[in-house]
Amino acid sequence: MPTPQPNPFRPSFGVSPLVLAGRGDLLSGFPLALLEGPGSPLRTMLVSGPRGSGKTVLLNELEEAARTQGWIVLRAYPGADMLTDLTATEIPRALAALDEDRPARRITGASIAGLGSVRTETTEPEHRPAATLISVLRTLAERLRTHGTGIVISVDEVQSADPEHLRAVATAVQDLVRDSHDVAFLAAGLPAGITALLQHPGTTFLRRAELVTLGPVTAEESAAAVAETVAAGGREITSEAVELIAARAHGYPYLIQLLGSLAWAQASLEESAEITAGTVEAILPHAVSRMGRQVHAPSLHGMPDSQLAFLVAMARVADADGRAATGDIAAELGVAPNGISTRRRALIDADLVTPADYGFLRFTLPYLREHLLDTHA
Ligand SMILES: Nc1ncnc2c1ncn2[C@@H]1O[C@H](COP(=O)(O)OP(=O)(O)O)[C@@H](O)[C@H]1O
Ligand SMILES: [Mg+2]
């Protein structure tokens, strides 16, 4: 066996994959939106999806596209200091970086060159006194206008941000857009967080935003990404193995990386130059349990007992595709069919389950059924 090649898959959160599956429309639309002008709807994007659906990766790619066009990216991090970080650190830093490109220095004193003692003084940035988010953003936007570029403000994990902070950022963005400045606003978060953001009074401007729901990628897109990633890593993979990974990933980006990574490692263990369907079969149980620990356990954490009981009952009566009749769930819980409607609603809002055909629910993410059966035998 030649020296083992490094694993080209990236099964961790917030890390861009070597090869992106799908999302092409979004990625090609954004650079156009930046060049189109302040009216373009894609300049305000709210990205919603469950953990592992690729929100952070998408944000990173959109930010990168903006930087390529010379735009400045300001990241707002949810937390107590979100606004002061932007106003007092991030934006001044961006302004200082612009100053470095073209030093803000003028010559004072001697006006005749060669007479010695030429004194220089650095001008104090005039945005220092009483800086507010809007005022510093406006200064930055005006400076960038001369460069023909603009500002992207991005917020990841919006569900963890203080709604008042988000309102302040949204108001500032709206203010600048109204003055025809080039500003884009990108936010990503769990569906409940995006819904809350839209319902918050004072962020009505965001209701015109492009709402991007990161659903599953297609089997073809998954398969292409797997095949290209393996090839880039310098290994062989059979077409059956590619299709098996695509099928078992159910279009869920984290699973594409996880299944690929484990299959790659298994092939190394077997000292095989090729990933086969057998290699993939061998790692499926590991993938399912890792998915449970990395994705399902965190999303069930702190959930009310009654909702957890609902999910466990649903797992027991669901078919292998994670689909269950609500009547069966109620019967399993030993309550009347109308006795589960509150919990059903709460779990749909939390995006853990999705209404299927009339009277049916299914688990939103792959392998939640397996995880619940494993942990609540
Ligand atoms: N379009 C994609 N194609 C393939 N893998 C992806 C894609 N988007 C994300 N991933 C992978 O999925 C995992 C989760 O992505 P991440 O952006 O962190 O999800 P989220 O922010 O929604 O929780 C990472 O391992 C990442 O490399
Ligand atoms: Mg993320």
Side-chain angles (χ1 to χ4, degrees):
M1 171 85 184
T3 43
Q5 303 99 320
N7 196 323
F9 289 94
R10 311 270 159 77
S12 40
F13 297 90
V15 182
S16 285
L18 197 59
V19 182
L20 275 178
R23 316 299 188 217
D25 292 350
L26 292 166
L27 293 176
S28 58
F30 191 59
L32 286 175
L34 296 186
L35 291 170
E36 227 187 315
S40 171
L42 277 184
R43 284 191 176 191
T44 320
M45 241 193 267
L46 304 181
V47 181
S48 134
R51 181 168 162 82
S53 57
K55 301 180 293 299
T56 302
V57 164
L58 180 64
L59 272 193
N60 290 345
E61 297 291 324
L62 296 173
E63 290 173 355
E64 202 42 47
R67 283 194 199 96
T68 305
Q69 292 192 16
W71 284 50
I72 286 197
V73 175
L74 301 173
R75 284 188 173 178
Y77 294 96
D81 299 329
M82 186 167 118
L83 296 180
T84 36
D85 280 351
L86 276 177
T87 310
T89 311
E90 285 270 321
I91 298 171
R93 189 182 292 150
L95 280 163
L98 286 176
D99 288 341
E100 259 164 45
D101 289 348
R102 190 170 47 80
R105 202 173 292 167
R106 51 197 169 104
I107 295 175
T108 60
S111 54
I112 304 164
L115 279 185
S117 80
V118 172
R119 292 184 293 117
T120 63
E121 92 186 359
T122 307
T123 54
E124 268 298 300
E126 66 265 32
H127 51 88
R128 278 288 153 72
T132 62
L133 178 60
I134 291 184
S135 70
V136 286
L137 265 183
R138 189 179 295 280
T139 306
L140 183 59
E142 276 158 9
R143 291 284 307 277
L144 290 170
R145 182 175 268 167
T146 63
H147 297 242
T149 68
I151 305 167
V152 174
I153 300 182
S154 74
V155 196
D156 198 0
E157 310 278 2
V158 281
Q159 73 280 349
S160 310
D162 180 337
E164 274 310 305
H165 290 172
L166 293 170
R167 189 196 52 75
V169 173
T171 305
V173 170
Q174 178 173 25
D175 221 57
L176 265 66
V177 170
R178 202 182 284 133
D179 293 341
S180 293
H181 279 298
D182 286 300
V183 202
F185 179 71
L186 307 173
L190 298 175
I194 295 289
T195 308
L197 176 59
L198 286 170
Q199 281 164 358
H200 189 269
T203 54
T204 38
F205 147 75
L206 292 178
R207 288 179 203 160
R208 290 191 299 274
E210 188 78 9
L211 196 54
V212 177
T213 306
L214 286 187
V217 299
T218 67
E220 291 73 31
E221 289 165 339
S222 305
V226 169
E228 277 180 50
T229 308
V230 174
R235 225 185 200 124
E236 308 277 312
I237 182 165
T238 65
S239 54
E240 295 78 51
V242 169
E243 273 156 36
L244 187 56
I245 291 180
R248 293 294 189 265
H250 298 275
Y252 179 64
Y254 172 70
L255 272 176
I256 297 175
Q257 300 302 318
L258 180 58
L259 289 164
S261 171
L262 288 168
W264 182 279
Q266 178 70 18
S268 301
L269 195 66
E270 293 169 358
E271 303 195 352
S272 164
E274 187 179 59
I275 297 171
T276 64
T279 326
V280 180
E281 294 286 358
I283 55 86
L284 282 177
H286 297 285
V288 171
S289 73
R290 178 98 67 91
M291 171 89 182
R293 275 178 281 127
Q294 294 288 313
V295 176
H296 297 316
S299 65
L300 300 178
H301 185 78
M303 159 176 290
D305 286 346
S306 62
Q307 290 179 23
L308 190 59
F310 181 110
L311 290 175
V312 172
M314 176 167 160
R316 292 201 179 115
V317 300
D319 63 20
D321 294 329
R323 195 165 159 282
T326 40
D328 292 347
I329 301 169
E332 177 72 17
L333 284 166
V335 299
N338 62 4
I340 58 170
S341 51
T342 312
R343 287 181 269 179
R344 176 181 169 279
R345 188 72 249 162
L347 292 166
I348 292 171
D349 289 345
D351 209 34
L352 288 164
V353 302
T354 311
D357 307 320
Y358 183 75
F360 283 85
L361 287 175
R362 59 177 183 76
F363 290 115
T364 307
L365 289 186
Y367 309 121
L368 177 53
R369 170 178 159 269
E370 286 76 358
H371 174 72
L372 289 163
L373 294 177
D374 271 4
T375 49
H376 297 83

